Amino acid sequence: MENLSRRGVLKGAASVALAAALPMPAVLGAGTIKIGVVQPFSGGLELFGNQAKLGLDLAAAEINAAGGIGGSTVELIYEDDKTDPKTAVERATSLIRKDGVMAISGPITSNNRDAMMPTMSRSKVPLLYATNYEGGGCDRYLFSFNTVPNQELEQLIPALKENAGDSFYMFGADYVWPQKMFEAAETIVTGLGGKSAGKEFTPWGVKDFAPVVRRVKDSGAKCLLFALPGADGITFIRQAEDLGLLNDVTVGFLGFAETYLGAFGEGKGQNMWVTVPFAASMTDPGPAEFVAKIRKAAGDGVPISHYAFTHYNSLNAVKAALEKTGKMDSEGLVDGLTELNVKTPTGDILIGKDHHVTMNMFLAKTEGAGLAVVKPLGAIAPAPGCA
Amino acid sequence: MDRILIFLLDSSNAILVLMLVSLGLAVIFGLMNVINMAHGEFLVLGAYGVLTLQWAGLPFAACLVIAPMLVALIGLAAEELLIRRTYERLLDTILATWGLSLVLRQGLVLIYGPGSHAVAAPDMGSVPVFGEIYPVYRLVVMALSAAAIAFTFWVFFRTALGLQARAVIANRNMAACLGINTRMLDRLTFAFGAGLAGLAGAVMSPLISVDPNAGLGWLVPGFLSILVAGLGSLSGPIVGAAGVGAVDSLAAAISSPVWAQLTVFVAAIIVIRFFPQGLMALKRREA
Amino acid sequence: MLEIQELHAGYGGGEVLRGLSLGVAHGEIVALLGRNGMGKTTLLRCIMGLLPHAAGSIRLEGQPLSGLDCFEIARRGVAYVPQGREIFGQLTVEENLRLAALRGGTIETGYDLFPGLRARAKDPGGSLSGGQQQQLAIARAMVAKPRLLLLDEPSEGIQPSVVNEIADIVTRSVRSMGLSVLLVEQNTDLALRVADRAVFVDHGVDAASIASRAVTREILASYMEL
Ligand SMILES: Nc1ncnc2c1ncn2[C@@H]1O[C@H](COP(=O)(O)OP(=O)(O)OP(=O)(O)O)[C@@H](O)[C@H]1O
Ligand SMILES: [Mg+2]
């Protein structure tokens, strides 16, 4: 008995030593496709990291249950970027060098993405980015699976104009995404013959928005295009509601996700308009099944947003791409992803030559404790601004 | 005219809460020379306290009273277990309280999740003030903050406990030589300062997103307030918070929050550059 | 009353007290004399618990004081008037006294001792003259109703005429209350006039203990002059 177990230990130790001595590809074996995941699981944006994980885990489970990709199983290797660019780069480097991943999924913030991209390009490993962002990320090794500004705004602004009025106030956080959002919005508003009633930005961490609320009120705007993500956005909406602003303006909430629901308080934060590629409340069979599967895996309480959806899509796209080219490496993946059609719960998406996706979009608004779809908008092509 | 009055009302709200925050910081620094980096987390704990007590079914008013006391107790425990081991080493106090802030924040993530929570706002309605419909709860926030500030001054300047605390601030050893239990005062003061932060978080909880990182937005202006006015006295943080808050509100009202933040920093840097001991030191020299 | 045996203490590496022994009887006034830097203040700080001692013992009425916090020693009836007075400059005269009166005692004791302080009750302690500050420091010590009074160079930096006046008042009061006193003083004439006994400290040890009346010029010169 004692002997046996000791031999077992020795064998284990020997194989570890052997594995360490062998070069990477041999260790990898034919049996696994490693995908690194660099997402925030601490440091402030863990909500989003958790959403990404819901989608990725489900996709990986489904792919492996169906026999993997070309016989290989998908293995996700999670790393926490702590919402910090330096950490994101470190984790990406280690995933590429030590784990030999074929691609990396992530991150959330543009800061982290911009920080990681040089490493990705240099290592020729694609980054599968599934967060809505400002556009302009044009690189052979970058694929975007969520929206860019025009996809959110093109139909939202006309809907707001029709339902609330034609003067728009724009308020957002002081960084690139809201700035690009508002640039795109201004073009659309002017094109529709609407008025821009004002535009302003705020730094993070502001706790008293009374001056902004007063100014929006005084501007006489009918619509507020709102691009202040995260907790600060919730604080603003709570104070805007408290000071009576939400009676005067209709909010177009940019970058909305179901993770916000419940944070405004019961019966609060109503009638805020959004366009999203997915809503958990959709009743069509595709999305309903997607929601049910995630609920089954992660429990009934979890919010499910389009982040779970786009990350789910991104891994399914990997499978489709590898099966298309039959080349099981990073270059094969990049070639396969370009101009690829991928099935998703809300219909097909098309990855364009510029590595951004045409997706079905939906006009929705906050209602009760959820997001109610107003109407499907059909497929909207991205204008990511790549030459 | 009404616009100006409404502006003053809006700013008073922000300023009074900031005063509470910096007062707590200054009380702790004054007595113990501890730079409390966990002050923002104590504030957040106050907000979570209200949230939790509300879940437990307590009426909002009761939550407002109990939550700060719970934070004071947590402050007491932190002082006993951690902070007191770092006294007299300023850098260590920063590291220790910073570590504490991480632990508290992570603890909140583990217990309550990383997302935002909503404290149900007490339904107090609105009243017409200066031609605007003004939410009553905001007036309550101001009244409570002002009352807490007045209470703090009363404790420090009108009670035996406050007298002892001021003696310890001035000369710890000599205070001990008069039979004052300085350890006990350290505990009480730290708990009191934490309680003030807890109160600020509790009263603000219905007006903000309650999430683990909510404290940072107050910590920075709180520190600026005490730096600008100087650490020598209890009125320092009050004057500092008034200055920081007023500049911030004014700039935000005239231009935008981005400019407001910039203006506050520039103004603070100028003040600190020309009055390194703080504005209050200037007044003392003249007096 | 107070018994100190073989006390060793110092700062950092350097030992200042090297086996000092000393006693003060009930109602006795002992003058502690010695050149600058011989360890007199250090001894008083040890008694108060402000400085830990490495070896030896300090007993008050037979009870060991070792290991007690300063505030506990104060509460056992030891009052300290430190070198440099250390009144609370930002607090008013009355607040200075009230602090000492918090655990029994009344501030009237202080005003009775030095009636001049009453007129300055609401002024910050820091605004008083040197002599008045010394009065306040002594009054503060007396308000606490001590059993043992430690005085560290009370005459330092005060006009001689004022010094004598203060000394007379304090001596009278101390004698009438039967207080024990340990007095450190550079002004040997003054010290020998009020004290029953003089203990000479030299390089951290008690070199001699002599009744005040028996202290001669020669003895003084040998212990006090450089
Ligand atoms: N805080 C301190 N740290 C280090 N050394 C000290 C400290 N205080 C005093 N000393 C040293 O200890 C020795 C004794 O000092 P102490 O103050 O006890 O002397 P003293 O007899 O009271 O002298 P004086 O008559 O000048 O008051 C001196 O050499 C002094 O330099
Ligand atoms: Mg001395």
Side-chain angles (χ1 to χ4, degrees):
Chain A
M1 186 60 205
E2 216 171 75
N3 249 340
L4 246 179
S5 67
R6 192 191 307 155
R7 194 185 303 155
V9 170
L10 282 175
K11 218 171 93 187
S15 58
V16 168
L18 196 67
L22 285 171
M24 258 327 171
V27 178
L28 248 178
T32 40
I33 291 170
K34 293 191 176 185
I35 307 288
V37 183
V38 177
Q39 292 281 8
F41 295 108
S42 63
L45 292 185
E46 44 270 65
L47 265 187
F48 295 93
N50 293 341
Q51 285 290 309
K53 188 168 187 298
L54 288 178
L56 291 169
D57 281 347
L58 177 63
E62 287 183 355
I63 292 170
N64 289 337
I69 306 175
S72 302
T73 46
V74 173
E75 186 193 344
L76 297 173
I77 306 175
Y78 283 98
E79 293 286 358
D80 180 5
D81 73 12
K82 303 189 168 133
T83 322
D84 163 56
K86 219 175 113 240
T87 315
V89 174
E90 278 166 25
R91 295 297 130 93
T93 308
S94 134
L95 281 169
I96 294 168
R97 295 240 181 94
K98 289 222 186 70
D99 300 298
V101 297
M102 184 188 287
I104 291 179
S105 165
I108 295 293
T109 65
S110 291
N111 268 347
N112 286 19
R113 185 195 66 241
D114 288 342
M116 286 164 75
M117 263 331 282
T119 306
M120 306 304 296
S121 308
R122 214 177 320 113
S123 323
K124 302 193 188 305
V125 173
L127 185 68
L128 313 173
Y129 185 53
T131 303
N132 47 334
Y133 85 115
E134 62 280 356
C138 310
D139 190 296
R140 174 169 167 80
Y141 296 96
L142 176 63
F143 289 86
S144 159
F145 289 90
N146 209 318
T147 58
V148 290
N150 77 296
Q151 287 168 296
E152 246 188 275
L153 296 167
E154 241 170 61
Q155 299 294 327
L156 177 64
I157 290 174
L160 282 172
K161 182 165 175 280
E162 191 180 311
N163 286 285
D166 63 357
S167 55
F168 289 78
Y169 201 99
M170 300 176 199
F171 176 59
D174 189 23
Y175 74 105
V176 60
W177 175 71
Q179 282 156 0
K180 293 282 181 194
M181 267 297 189
F182 292 162
E183 266 173 39
E186 275 169 334
T187 316
I188 298 172
V189 168
T190 334
L192 290 171
K195 288 197 302 280
S196 174
K199 175 167 87 167
E200 70 177 285
F201 298 97
T202 180
W204 297 113
V206 169
K207 295 297 175 188
D208 177 45
F209 287 110
V212 180
V213 170
R214 300 266 173 238
R215 200 160 27 242
V216 178
K217 259 191 175 177
D218 292 348
S219 77
K222 290 290 170 212
C223 308
L224 174 64
L225 285 178
F226 182 65
L228 177 55
D232 287 5
I234 293 163
T235 297
F236 177 88
I237 294 292
R238 297 207 77 176
Q239 295 184 3
E241 185 135 42
D242 192 41
L243 292 170
L245 178 66
L246 297 196
N247 302 329
D248 301 349
V249 303
T250 302
V251 175
F253 201 122
L254 308 180
F256 189 84
E258 272 96 333
T259 45
Y260 285 106
L261 292 170
F264 303 115
E266 216 178 294
K268 304 283 179 177
Q270 298 291 299
N271 197 35
M272 301 195 288
W273 291 59
V274 304
T275 44
V276 282
F278 170 86
S281 61
M282 290 171 152
T283 49
D284 297 337
E289 196 191 333
F290 175 74
V291 169
K293 282 190 284 199
I294 290 198
R295 290 260 148 85
K296 190 157 166 255
D300 277 345
V302 292
I304 303 171
S305 69
H306 61 85
Y307 292 103
F309 170 76
T310 54
H311 282 84
Y312 174 79
N313 295 346
S314 69
L315 201 58
N316 284 325
V318 169
K319 176 180 157 87
L322 292 176
E323 283 172 353
K324 185 173 100 181
T325 57
K327 261 177 68 195
M328 298 287 161
D329 59 16
S330 296
E331 289 301 325
L333 177 58
V334 171
D335 291 339
L337 281 172
T338 313
E339 295 186 86
L340 178 74
N341 242 308
V342 186
K343 291 208 180 319
T344 82
T346 65
D348 283 9
I349 61 172
L350 172 67
I351 306 172
K353 271 209 274 285
D354 52 19
H355 296 191
H356 288 68
V357 291
T358 303
M359 274 192 291
N360 285 325
M361 297 292 293
F362 302 85
L363 183 66
K365 60 181 181 177
T366 54
E367 201 175 279
L371 197 57
V373 174
V374 176
K375 68 171 182 191
L377 301 171
I380 300 181
C386 297
Chain B
M1 187 60 204
D2 280 358
R3 290 235 60 73
I4 296 173
L5 292 173
I6 283 290
F7 162 74
L8 286 178
L9 211 52
D10 284 345
S11 335
S12 310
N13 195 312
I15 290 171
L16 280 165
V17 174
L18 184 57
M19 281 178 179
L20 267 191
V21 176
S22 32
L23 196 56
L25 272 175
V27 164
I28 289 175
F29 182 85
L31 201 78
M32 286 162 270
N33 269 327
V34 167
I35 292 188
N36 184 18
M37 302 296 287
H39 206 62
E41 277 62 38
F42 287 148
L43 188 150
V44 177
L45 285 177
Y48 273 96
V50 172
L51 183 75
T52 314
L53 294 168
Q54 225 173 29
W55 284 345
L58 264 68
F60 185 76
C63 302
L64 271 194
V65 176
I66 300 172
M69 292 181 181
L70 291 178
V71 179
L73 282 179
I74 293 172
L76 199 63
E79 199 276 344
E80 188 62 39
L81 297 173
L82 177 74
I83 314 293
R84 77 185 167 96
R85 296 168 206 282
T86 66
Y87 286 151
E88 291 167 23
R89 303 188 303 267
L90 197 63
L91 200 63
D92 287 5
T93 71
I94 295 177
L95 287 175
T97 54
W98 182 65
L100 178 64
S101 78
L102 294 183
V103 169
L104 290 176
R105 217 178 306 159
Q106 207 51 44
L108 288 174
V109 172
L110 287 177
I111 298 172
Y112 296 90
S116 294
H117 291 279
V119 164
D123 197 5
M124 296 182 169
S126 302
V127 287
V129 182
F130 309 131
E132 275 278 346
I133 297 297
Y134 211 80
V136 173
Y137 185 67
R138 284 196 165 235
L139 301 174
V140 171
V141 169
M142 291 186 231
L144 285 176
S145 305
I149 292 165
F151 176 72
T152 305
F153 274 78
W154 178 79
V155 167
F156 270 78
F157 290 100
R158 290 280 178 277
T159 68
L161 199 65
L163 178 61
Q164 297 179 71
R166 283 184 291 144
V168 174
I169 291 174
N171 187 335
R172 174 170 289 261
N173 277 345
M174 198 55 226
C177 289
L178 296 180
I180 295 170
N181 184 347
T182 56
R183 267 299 296 141
M184 187 59 76
L185 273 174
D186 285 344
R187 288 193 194 102
L188 289 177
T189 310
F190 200 84
F192 189 85
L196 283 179
L199 179 66
V203 295
M204 281 307 284
S205 62
L207 299 178
I208 54 166
S209 146
V210 177
D211 61 89
N213 297 305
L216 211 61
W218 271 293
L219 191 66
V220 176
F223 272 123
L224 272 188
S225 301
I226 57 177
L227 276 179
V228 162
L231 287 157
S233 70
L234 215 53
S235 37
I238 297 302
V239 172
V244 168
V247 170
D248 188 57
S249 298
L250 196 62
I254 292 172
S255 58
S256 80
V258 175
W259 281 103
Q261 195 178 61
L262 205 67
T263 315
V264 167
F265 275 114
V266 170
I269 288 167
I270 291 172
V271 167
I272 293 165
R273 167 71 185 76
F274 287 103
F275 310 101
Q277 298 303 311
L279 289 173
M280 294 299 282
L282 192 75
K283 195 192 124 218
R284 262 199 301 283
R285 212 178 307 135
E286 282 168 1
Chain C
M1 173 84 221
L2 178 72
E3 265 173 85
I4 295 168
Q5 266 162 6
E6 288 295 318
L7 198 69
H8 290 261
Y11 306 90
E15 195 169 61
V16 175
L17 301 180
R18 300 180 177 89
L20 182 141
S21 300
L22 169 93
V24 181
H26 279 276
E28 188 187 21
I29 301 181
V30 174
L32 194 61
L33 303 178
R35 285 186 288 270
N36 286 77
M38 287 298 133
K40 304 181 295 291
T41 298
T42 304
L43 174 66
L44 298 193
R45 289 172 55 83
C46 282
I47 299 172
M48 265 335 281
L50 290 171
L51 189 72
H53 49 268
S57 74
I58 305 175
R59 288 167 180 276
L60 185 70
E61 311 260 37
Q63 302 284 332
L65 296 183
S66 314
L68 291 184
D69 267 346
C70 177
F71 81 92
E72 291 168 308
I73 292 169
R75 288 181 187 184
R76 288 186 182 207
V78 185
Y80 182 35
V81 178
Q83 195 166 6
R85 304 182 276 268
E86 306 207 19
I87 54 154
F88 299 103
Q90 306 240 17
L91 305 189
T92 64
V93 168
E94 187 165 317
E95 285 173 330
N96 268 277
L97 295 177
R98 273 217 333 260
L99 275 169
L102 284 173
R103 270 154 287 276
T106 154
I107 60 174
E108 290 305 317
T109 315
Y111 290 142
D112 290 346
L113 198 59
F114 299 110
L117 290 177
R118 202 186 292 271
R120 306 296 304 269
K122 299 292 173 207
D123 295 336
S127 70
L128 303 186
S129 69
Q132 280 176 316
Q133 287 193 17
Q134 190 58 267
Q135 291 181 350
L136 177 57
I138 295 169
R140 188 176 61 181
M142 298 297 278
V143 158
K145 293 197 296 190
R147 294 187 287 178
L148 171 67
L149 181 62
L150 308 178
L151 289 164
D152 199 348
E153 309 212 8
S155 76
E156 196 182 46
I158 301 173
Q159 290 172 3
S161 58
V162 181
V163 165
N164 284 325
E165 190 191 323
I166 295 178
D168 290 343
I169 292 173
V170 174
T171 314
R172 218 178 307 129
S173 165
V174 158
R175 291 286 187 208
S176 73
M177 288 158 65
L179 262 183
S180 309
V181 177
L182 187 56
L183 166 70
V184 172
E185 186 51 71
Q186 290 291 343
N187 180 341
T188 47
D189 289 344
L190 175 75
L192 293 173
R193 181 159 62 80
V194 302
D196 302 307
R197 187 158 58 90
V199 173
F200 291 93
V201 187
D202 195 20
H203 292 96
V205 293
D206 48 313
S209 168
I210 303 166
S212 298
R213 271 169 283 110
V215 174
T216 61
R217 292 261 148 240
E218 292 70 35
I219 296 171
L220 270 182
S222 68
Y223 290 116
M224 301 301 292
E225 277 159 29
L226 297 171

